[in-house]
Amino acid sequence: MASVPIIPDSYNYVLAEFECLDPLLSALRLDSSRLKCTCIAVSKRWLALGSSGGGLNLIQKDGWKQRLFLTHKEGAISRVACCLHDEDYVAVATSQGLVVVWELNQERRGKPERIYVSSEHKGRKVTALCWDTAALRVFVGDHVGKVSAIKINTSKQGKAAATFVMFPVQIITTVDSRVVQLDYLDGRLLISSLTRTYLCDTERQKFWKIGNKERDGEFGACFFPVGKNSGNQQPLIYCARPGSRMWEVNFDGEVQSTHQFKQLLSSPPLPVVTLRLDPRYTSSSCSPQSLSFPKLLYLTEHCVMTWTERGIYIFLPQSVQVLLWSEVKDIQDIAVYKSELFCLHTNGKVVHLSLLLVDRCIERLIRRGFWMLAARVCCLFQNSVISCRARKNLPLDKLEHLKSQLDASTQQDLIMQLEELISKLEPLDSACSSRRSSISSHESFSVLDSGIYRVISRRGSQSDEDSCSLHSQTFSEDERLKEFPAHQEDEQVELDNVSHASVTVEADRNETFLPFSIPLSFRSPSPLVSLQAVKESVSSFVRKTTEKIGTLHISPDTRGRQEAKDDEQLQELTVNLVASPQEEKELEPESCQLPEEDPLRDLKAATVEALAKLQDPLLLLEPQCMRRVLQEWLIYLEEKFGSKEHSASSVKKSKTVCAEEERAVLEGNLQLDPTEGDPADKEQSSILEDCTEKENTDETCASKTMCENSTDLKGPLDCCFKVSPPCVIEPDVQKDLVELTTLCFELHVFSCGNGDAEESSDRSLPQAASWTLACRFMRSYFFLLDLKRLKQCIITMYATSPNVWETYIAGLKELTCDSPVALAMENEDMLKILKQLHDLGPWDDSPLLLVHAQRLYEKFGETALRPLIKFYPSILPSDIKQLCRNDPAHFLAYLDSLVKSKPEDKRSSLLRSLLQPESVRLDWLCLAVSHDAPQRANTVDAEGNPRPRSHLFTWGYSQLILLLIKLPADFVTKEKMAEICKSHGFWPGYLFLCLELDRRIEAFTNIAHLDDLSLLNGEDGSIPETIEEWKFLLHLAQNHSTALHHHGPQNGNAVSNGSPSCPDCITVENVALLLAKAVGPNRALPLLQECGLTLELSERFAGVCEILRVAEKRQRALIQSMLERCDRFLWSQQA
């Protein structure tokens, strides 16, 4: 066995990574080269991640769910800070130097809002942000040394507070160089620059320089709060100095002492405990490290943390000790909260580390089921594990249990090292061997006079209660098992009934966040999985005990019943042996009464097993594996809740029908509605004929299954829905069933057949067969489907299958057939029904409101849609589009009314929030330009060019179109929108997009065809900017056919184009006048002579040029006169 270096007993702490945040960054799309994380902050509730795209992601640490996404148009996020005493406030600094303060409104369940934007540091790089520890005030430092304070006035403070905040931004000071770090405590602001550290009393506006010696470089400083039991002792300050030194400073800014850590840092680094790499330790010392600490952060009690490009360093400055240092390279920034460290690396990656005692680390690894890593840490930190304190958290039975979980064939060396460690804890003797079972090795038995068998424990550390009887001994094992899955206070509780395979989460009302739930790796498995190994040990112990005491005075009947119950010992974890014949006789009648069997027992067990499997991070990355797990679970669901014929056929198919037969069955079901227009109708009918012929001639299992399925799949409305469970289901069980059933629908797992066959056929199934299976699945398990997720899945995955949506609506109608709104729909008018719906609110995003809207639309038509805008966002435009899929014009009317219902300054943001996914922008644009629009022949000529003045036509949805094309979008999307506008003749939008895409020549060409000089204005950038553009425009005007002006139509309010002197037509003279106004007559005439266009100019052009010269001369004279007056005034003031 190779010797492994052992870490000295002076090290009792370690940095550990229990959760990998890579899936979180991937879900947030912060792991790409285009978009990455730029800054980080943390509080008790939030993990804040700023991105290079200007977005701020606020992730709730409890469960790692993204709750909020805040956007900033002012540039990338450079700094972020969370208010620790009121987590409803976040401060953000952008790359443009603006500081934005957000109020999240989490208590009032409202939308986040900007409560202040400071431009005090605009144009500068904000290098530090810091919140006041008591008041709502933010301190800001930039790269030139300017420090300001932003006083926040919010609605929480009441109206009276507004009178006292006259100037919310206050300039604190300007130091001599860039601000490296800011810290605040008890009315004192600590400013660390490149040269020295300053202490500021913000109440009395006093400043102190700390120390006399300057420094050159990035050195941090932080406050060191005193403990709760330190009486009236004031906080301390620690300032970084060159050469791995720190100043210890009192609260008045006086240097007390200098601490040197250079020699202490010659010890080898401690490994970081992580599943990414095996922990390794080298006992050889390294050379002393002379370091510069760029920032100092207070970490838990008595610790100060810093980092360099080489690693992380944690000090005990008061006792001048190095708690630990570990190699973690390429760190850009670190945010800390208590003992948690969130490290942002230069490549945008985020790592979550925890500082904790070694024994606590091992205990947590054991609870999470990371056996091999826990064993390696035990062997490395043997000295710490042997200590008295560690023995309390890591008793001998836990280490024995850890050893029993290791694979003896592949991890023999590790087992031997662990045995050596256990032998140091308790020496070997004749009665106890370390190679025995972790439970049975510590007990022996004695028979009392009464016939009771007594269990004697040989552990000296166990209480006397553990050695009372066999029953009490087993009970102690049960208690011991309970502590394995139990989480400590510093860990987040994870519920077993939560499926991490889901990719959507329910949103709180009026909260903006991306819909997803992150399945992080390194999660602790289900407690049932953690208990399984220990249960096997207990079961083994029970069997051995039964063999040893096989001569008990127990009647044969009782012994038989006891053996029959051995399998149930795994669940109960108790051994109920009868002590005397009299007690046996009393218990016999009771034991003969078998408990009532739970009808859902098999389904519950399968559900727990499926959820446990789906929590595996590796399985979440393989959709085929997830489908296979769900198919195995679906067998049990169909046995309990599916129709008997369907269940029998599914089980039979899973055993006998191969993939090709199953595909033939599905294709045979294609003829559901022969009236629906499908290009493949003939092919489908021929397939159906073949299948029918096969049914008549072949009496095989597959043909029987086909008959059953075809009767099952007649249509979405032929069969009644199961809208309520057929039996009573416990709430927790139903929650798990809903999760898995909905996941089956999302992953297209509609059959419990053979997994490989299902997967191979799923990729090649016709579309009609896919939606047919979906409809049947919804009818069978409607009461077990999450209606919100189901609706979203249908909208995104079955957009081209209207039957699936109709089936969903039919199920909702069945569910709400007895509601008062449905009953009132027959007799009441529309206004009364709408009022009734409003009174029944709030609806949030309940799908039940959607089915009432469907009923209204079916009865009253388009007039019922416009009033539905007041139910936004409970009803979204995507829902209305599904309702009006047969008449898109109705959807456009609703969308236009919804947008116009908001103020003009909020319409763009509303429309942008509705474009989910982004691809619907092009669909909506195509609808808007093709409805209530002029005829294409009136806007586009035969050559595809604009007709003169055709941009003045009235478009019914022009405002909606312009909002769509003016929203930010990528280059490819804007090109597609430009082609849509050009093909339909919407020239205002096409010209706007040409200028945005820098296709200026194309824009000027179309302006010439439109023959409207008013389009050449400087407001939207359409006026020529270079001499070449002016020449091109002049040649366009010269080549413009005069016949167009004589025969062009009049559109809108256009005037006659017959006269070449028309003031708003594209003529050489009008363009020349525009040139003279833009660059001046003296520069315009040489350009016109160069183009040979002076002969086409009239006397009017010469007169206008002369007027321009006079106006320019007078303007110069006026400016000169004003400058002279200012000069005389300034000289008089100086005298």
Side-chain angles (χ1 to χ4, degrees):
M1 180 181 64
S3 61
V4 178
I6 299 176
I7 297 175
D9 56 358
S10 58
Y11 294 104
N12 296 320
Y13 283 82
V14 69
L15 289 174
E17 180 187 16
F18 296 105
E19 295 173 317
C20 177
L21 299 185
D22 291 347
L24 174 64
L25 298 181
S26 178
L28 299 176
R29 298 183 179 179
L30 292 179
D31 56 350
S32 62
S33 58
R34 185 181 63 86
L35 193 66
K36 68 174 186 177
C37 185
T38 56
C39 57
I40 189 170
V42 67
S43 64
K44 180 180 180 181
R45 180 181 184 184
W46 300 113
L47 172 62
L49 301 176
S51 70
S52 56
L56 178 65
N57 297 277
L58 286 173
I59 296 97
Q60 187 171 328
K61 290 165 59 180
D62 183 10
W64 301 112
K65 298 177 182 178
Q66 184 189 22
R67 307 299 295 175
L68 298 171
F69 180 73
L70 310 177
T71 58
H72 303 80
K73 299 180 181 179
E74 296 85 0
I77 308 299
S78 60
R79 285 286 182 273
V80 60
C82 300
C83 183
L84 297 181
H85 62 86
D86 191 342
E87 294 189 291
D88 215 25
Y89 297 92
V90 177
V92 175
T94 68
S95 57
Q96 298 179 6
L98 299 179
V99 179
V100 183
V101 181
W102 289 85
E103 184 176 2
L104 305 181
N105 292 321
Q106 291 295 291
E107 298 176 358
R108 295 178 289 180
R109 302 177 66 84
K111 292 184 178 180
E113 57 180 338
R114 296 187 178 197
I115 55 176
Y116 194 79
V117 179
S118 171
S119 58
E120 188 65 39
H121 302 267
K122 187 175 182 180
R124 301 173 180 176
K125 181 180 179 180
V126 176
T127 57
L129 282 179
C130 176
W131 279 90
D132 194 317
T133 55
L136 289 178
R137 181 168 52 171
V138 186
F139 298 97
V140 187
D142 59 28
H143 75 286
V144 299
K146 187 177 184 179
V147 180
S148 66
I150 304 173
K151 179 68 175 178
I152 309 301
N153 177 37
T154 68
S155 56
K156 294 182 179 180
Q157 298 172 337
K159 297 182 179 180
T163 58
F164 296 99
V165 188
M166 300 280 298
F167 304 99
V169 179
Q170 174 188 3
I171 305 301
I172 301 295
T173 184
T174 300
V175 296
D176 53 0
S177 58
R178 178 164 65 93
V179 177
V180 176
Q181 186 177 0
L182 294 176
D183 199 7
Y184 185 87
L185 182 68
D186 296 342
R188 303 286 175 94
L189 177 66
L190 193 62
I191 306 171
S192 181
S193 69
L194 294 176
T195 58
R196 62 171 66 248
T197 304
Y198 302 85
L199 184 62
C200 170
D201 188 336
T202 57
E203 305 298 332
R204 295 182 293 174
Q205 297 184 357
K206 292 186 177 182
F207 299 87
W208 299 272
K209 291 181 181 179
I210 296 179
N212 298 321
K213 296 182 180 180
E214 294 188 354
R215 64 204 182 189
D216 185 14
E218 292 192 1
F219 294 89
C222 71
F223 286 106
F224 192 88
V226 295
K228 298 179 180 179
N229 301 324
S230 53
N232 297 325
Q233 181 181 351
Q234 286 189 322
L236 298 175
I237 301 171
Y238 286 98
C239 305
R241 297 291 301 167
S244 302
R245 291 178 297 159
M246 284 187 200
W247 273 345
E248 182 176 304
V249 185
N250 62 18
F251 207 52
D252 296 324
E254 300 171 352
V255 178
Q256 302 294 313
S257 60
T258 302
H259 301 323
Q260 175 63 262
F261 296 97
K262 181 177 179 179
Q263 297 297 329
L264 296 175
L265 292 175
S266 60
S267 59
L270 291 187
V272 176
V273 178
T274 173
L275 285 185
R276 303 171 190 266
L277 297 171
D278 288 339
R280 298 186 182 277
Y281 177 74
T282 304
S283 57
S284 59
S285 300
C286 56
S287 59
Q289 301 183 59
S290 180
L291 304 173
S292 300
F293 304 139
K295 284 186 180 180
L296 296 181
L297 300 176
Y298 175 74
L299 184 66
T300 64
E301 292 185 3
H302 313 301
C303 296
V304 170
M305 192 274 301
T306 186
W307 72 92
T308 65
E309 67 279 356
R310 184 178 179 184
I312 297 176
Y313 305 84
I314 301 178
F315 303 103
L316 298 173
Q318 288 181 303
S319 58
V320 196
Q321 292 180 342
V322 177
L323 185 68
L324 64 85
W325 80 273
S326 300
E327 282 190 337
V328 183
K329 299 183 181 298
D330 301 327
I331 296 178
Q332 176 181 331
D333 196 7
I334 293 182
V336 300
Y337 179 77
K338 292 188 177 179
S339 60
E340 291 182 299
L341 289 76
F342 292 86
C343 308
L344 173 63
H345 292 260
T346 53
N347 58 0
K349 180 181 176 182
V350 179
V351 176
H352 178 203
L353 301 177
S354 299
L355 174 67
L356 69 171
L357 288 164
V358 173
D359 53 330
R360 295 292 298 278
C361 175
I362 298 172
E363 183 187 17
R364 196 177 296 186
L365 291 173
I366 293 175
R367 281 204 308 267
R368 293 170 182 259
F370 303 140
W371 312 111
M372 189 172 69
L373 183 59
R376 291 190 182 278
V377 176
C378 280
C379 296
L380 281 176
F381 290 89
Q382 289 188 22
N383 295 320
S384 298
V385 174
I386 296 174
S387 66
C388 296
R389 187 195 182 283
R391 291 287 298 277
K392 296 179 180 179
N393 293 326
L394 290 175
L396 191 62
D397 55 348
K398 281 191 179 181
L399 296 178
E400 288 279 3
H401 175 69
L402 173 60
K403 187 193 69 175
S404 67
Q405 300 303 317
L406 300 178
D407 189 355
S409 60
T410 59
Q411 300 167 350
Q412 186 62 36
D413 290 344
L414 196 56
I415 293 176
M416 295 178 67
Q417 295 174 26
L418 202 56
E419 285 182 346
E420 183 180 352
L421 170 61
I422 294 174
S423 66
K424 296 178 181 179
L425 298 179
E426 184 175 13
L428 298 174
D429 55 36
S430 59
C432 179
S433 173
S434 62
R435 290 186 178 273
R436 296 179 189 172
S437 171
S438 61
I439 298 176
S440 62
S441 63
H442 301 284
E443 288 82 15
S444 62
F445 305 93
S446 63
V447 183
L448 303 182
D449 295 336
S450 62
I452 297 177
Y453 278 71
R454 179 183 179 187
V455 180
I456 301 175
S457 174
R458 299 192 180 183
R459 292 189 200 91
S461 60
Q462 297 297 317
S463 63
D464 295 337
E465 297 176 359
D466 293 337
S467 58
C468 292
S469 64
L470 181 60
H471 177 78
S472 64
Q473 170 61 27
T474 311
F475 180 77
S476 69
E477 292 299 331
D478 191 15
E479 291 298 320
R480 197 177 305 131
L481 291 177
K482 291 181 180 178
E483 66 185 24
F484 277 92
H487 283 220
Q488 300 290 339
E489 295 179 359
D490 57 347
E491 287 192 271
Q492 300 167 355
V493 178
E494 300 181 39
L495 300 177
D496 290 340
N497 55 3
V498 177
S499 172
H500 295 288
S502 174
V503 292
T504 56
V505 293
E506 263 186 48
D508 291 333
R509 186 160 59 99
N510 294 332
E511 287 186 353
T512 55
F513 67 98
L514 296 181
F516 64 83
S517 178
I518 309 301
L520 295 183
S521 61
F522 299 174
R523 286 290 178 134
S524 63
S526 171
L528 291 173
V529 179
S530 301
L531 283 173
Q532 187 62 34
V534 188
K535 289 178 181 178
E536 293 174 0
S537 300
V538 176
S539 176
S540 176
F541 164 67
V542 171
R543 287 194 295 271
K544 292 179 181 179
T545 304
T546 306
E547 293 174 1
K548 288 183 179 181
I549 58 176
T551 57
L552 278 174
H553 304 289
I554 302 177
S555 64
D557 295 338
T558 308
R559 183 180 295 110
R561 284 193 302 271
Q562 187 66 33
E563 292 175 356
K565 291 183 179 180
D566 276 347
D567 293 336
E568 297 178 9
Q569 302 288 345
L570 292 177
Q571 297 178 3
E572 299 176 2
L573 289 178
T574 57
V575 182
N576 297 319
L577 296 177
V578 182
S580 63
Q582 295 179 355
E583 293 175 352
E584 293 170 14
K585 294 179 181 179
E586 294 174 0
L587 293 176
E588 273 185 11
E590 182 179 353
S591 61
C592 289
Q593 298 177 359
L594 297 177
E596 184 179 354
E597 184 179 359
D598 186 1
L600 301 179
R601 183 182 63 180
D602 295 341
L603 180 59
K604 290 179 182 178
T607 301
V608 172
E609 182 181 0
L611 288 174
K613 290 181 179 179
L614 291 175
Q615 287 180 355
D616 185 359
L618 298 179
L619 187 139
L620 296 176
L621 301 176
E622 296 291 339
Q624 293 182 359
C625 297
M626 293 177 62
R627 290 191 182 98
R628 203 170 291 116
V629 172
L630 293 173
Q631 284 169 352
E632 295 174 357
W633 172 81
L634 195 57
I635 296 175
Y636 297 91
L637 183 68
E638 290 185 351
E639 287 179 356
K640 296 301 178 184
F641 299 123
S643 59
K644 295 183 179 179
E645 297 81 1
H646 176 63
S647 299
S649 64
S650 298
V651 174
K652 190 172 183 179
K653 184 197 305 179
S654 66
K655 298 181 179 179
T656 61
V657 182
C658 64
E660 296 178 356
E661 291 174 338
E662 185 176 349
R663 182 182 176 188
V665 171
L666 294 173
E667 291 179 351
N669 294 323
L670 289 178
Q671 189 175 3
L672 298 173
D673 190 0
T675 60
E676 291 188 9
D678 193 346
D681 276 344
K682 296 181 179 179
E683 181 181 356
Q684 296 172 10
S685 61
S686 64
I687 295 174
L688 182 62
E689 291 174 2
D690 296 339
C691 295
T692 308
E693 183 179 354
K694 183 179 179 181
E695 284 180 359
N696 296 331
T697 59
D698 226 356
E699 296 297 326
T700 61
C701 174
S703 63
K704 293 180 181 179
T705 308
M706 187 188 307
C707 294
E708 292 169 358
N709 287 342
S710 58
T711 57
D712 239 3
L713 302 174
K714 291 269 178 97
L717 302 178
D718 287 353
C719 296
C720 61
F721 284 82
K722 294 183 180 179
V723 296
S724 59
C727 60
V728 178
I729 306 176
E730 300 172 6
D732 294 341
V733 177
Q734 184 166 8
K735 182 179 180 181
D736 294 341
L737 293 177
V738 168
E739 178 68 29
L740 291 179
T741 309
T742 308
L743 195 59
C744 285
F745 190 90
E746 293 171 342
L747 295 178
H748 304 277
V749 180
F750 303 131
S751 172
C752 60
N754 180 268
D756 297 335
E758 187 74 21
E759 291 162 14
S760 61
S761 62
D762 184 66
R763 291 189 292 268
S764 57
L765 278 181
Q767 185 179 7
S770 176
W771 65 253
T772 300
L773 290 174
C775 294
R776 183 185 67 185
F777 190 86
M778 274 193 290
R779 291 199 307 272
S780 300
Y781 308 110
F782 200 78
F783 65 98
L784 289 178
L785 289 169
D786 187 329
L787 299 180
K788 298 177 185 178
R789 286 170 55 185
L790 183 63
K791 181 189 75 172
Q792 190 63 32
C793 179
I794 294 174
I795 292 176
T796 54
M797 297 183 182
Y798 295 95
T800 58
S801 303
N803 296 65
V804 181
W805 178 264
E806 291 176 1
T807 305
Y808 175 67
I809 293 297
L812 292 177
K813 287 182 178 180
E814 183 75 17
L815 186 63
T816 59
C817 60
D818 297 329
S819 67
V821 178
L823 298 176
M825 197 71 66
E826 301 178 359
N827 305 322
E828 302 293 340
D829 58 6
M830 186 177 68
L831 295 179
K832 291 184 178 180
I833 296 173
L834 289 171
K835 185 178 183 302
Q836 189 175 11
L837 285 175
H838 185 271
D839 295 339
L840 290 175
W843 292 92
D844 294 340
D845 52 349
S846 172
L848 301 182
L849 178 61
L850 180 62
V851 71
H852 296 318
Q854 174 75 30
R855 290 190 174 101
L856 280 172
Y857 179 66
E858 291 174 353
K859 184 173 183 179
F860 300 103
E862 182 186 1
T863 56
L865 294 180
R866 296 182 186 271
L868 293 179
I869 61 175
K870 65 181 180 180
F871 293 102
Y872 173 83
S874 299
I875 295 182
L876 298 173
S878 57
D879 304 329
I880 301 298
K881 189 177 181 182
Q882 289 291 332
L883 301 183
C884 312
R885 62 185 179 279
N886 297 326
D887 198 341
H890 294 175
F891 165 70
L892 272 178
Y894 167 83
L895 182 62
D896 190 57
S897 300
L898 178 62
V899 173
K900 289 181 179 178
S901 65
K902 304 296 180 182
E904 289 189 7
D905 57 338
K906 296 184 179 180
R907 291 178 182 176
S908 296
S909 59
L910 169 66
L911 192 58
R912 188 173 185 180
S913 66
L914 298 178
L915 295 177
Q916 299 293 338
E918 186 69 22
S919 57
V920 302
R921 182 203 298 254
L922 298 178
D923 299 336
W924 292 2
L925 182 61
C926 290
L927 286 176
V929 297
S930 57
H931 287 82
D932 198 4
Q935 295 291 328
R936 188 177 186 276
N938 295 334
T939 57
V940 182
D941 60 17
E943 299 176 357
N945 295 320
R947 292 191 180 276
R949 304 302 176 104
S950 59
H951 64 289
L952 298 176
F953 277 115
T954 301
W955 294 69
Y957 298 104
S958 59
Q959 294 185 21
L960 180 61
I961 298 171
L962 290 174
L963 284 175
L964 284 171
I965 65 177
K966 289 182 179 181
L967 287 176
D970 56 82
F971 185 81
V972 177
T973 303
K974 286 190 176 292
E975 282 190 329
K976 292 180 180 178
M977 290 193 296
E979 291 302 320
I980 293 173
C981 292
K982 183 178 181 180
S983 61
H984 289 82
F986 186 72
W987 303 117
Y990 180 68
L991 294 177
F992 175 84
L993 290 170
C994 283
L995 294 173
E996 273 208 336
L997 295 171
D998 203 22
R999 289 152 53 173
R1000 300 180 62 83
I1001 299 300
E1002 190 174 348
F1004 294 142
T1005 304
N1006 284 276
I1007 289 175
H1009 284 291
L1010 291 171
D1011 196 26
D1012 190 351
L1013 193 67
S1014 63
L1015 296 175
L1016 293 171
N1017 59 73
E1019 296 179 0
D1020 54 5
S1022 57
I1023 194 169
E1025 297 176 350
T1026 62
I1027 297 299
E1028 287 73 17
E1029 289 182 356
W1030 280 110
K1031 289 181 180 180
F1032 179 76
L1033 187 60
L1034 288 169
H1035 284 299
L1036 283 176
Q1038 185 181 20
N1039 297 332
H1040 199 51
S1041 174
T1042 56
L1044 183 64
H1045 298 292
H1046 290 283
H1047 305 289
Q1050 292 186 4
N1051 299 326
N1053 60 353
V1055 298
S1056 175
N1057 296 331
S1059 174
S1061 61
C1062 178
D1064 57 352
C1065 295
I1066 301 295
T1067 62
V1068 173
E1069 183 168 326
N1070 287 342
V1071 175
L1073 287 173
L1074 190 63
L1075 172 64
K1077 294 177 183 178
V1079 302
N1082 295 332
R1083 295 180 59 190
L1085 284 175
L1087 181 59
L1088 293 171
Q1089 290 174 358
E1090 181 182 348
C1091 296
L1093 300 176
T1094 54
L1095 297 178
E1096 300 184 18
L1097 304 177
S1098 64
E1099 295 180 357
R1100 174 172 169 268
F1101 175 77
V1104 171
C1105 286
E1106 189 63 30
I1107 293 174
L1108 290 175
R1109 290 191 185 95
V1110 173
E1112 184 178 354
K1113 187 182 296 184
R1114 290 187 177 182
Q1115 188 175 12
R1116 288 179 179 175
L1118 180 61
I1119 293 174
Q1120 182 67 26
S1121 174
M1122 293 177 63
L1123 290 175
E1124 290 177 354
R1125 290 183 181 181
C1126 291
D1127 186 61
R1128 287 196 298 268
F1129 173 76
L1130 293 175
W1131 279 109
S1132 64
Q1133 292 295 319
Q1134 187 174 3

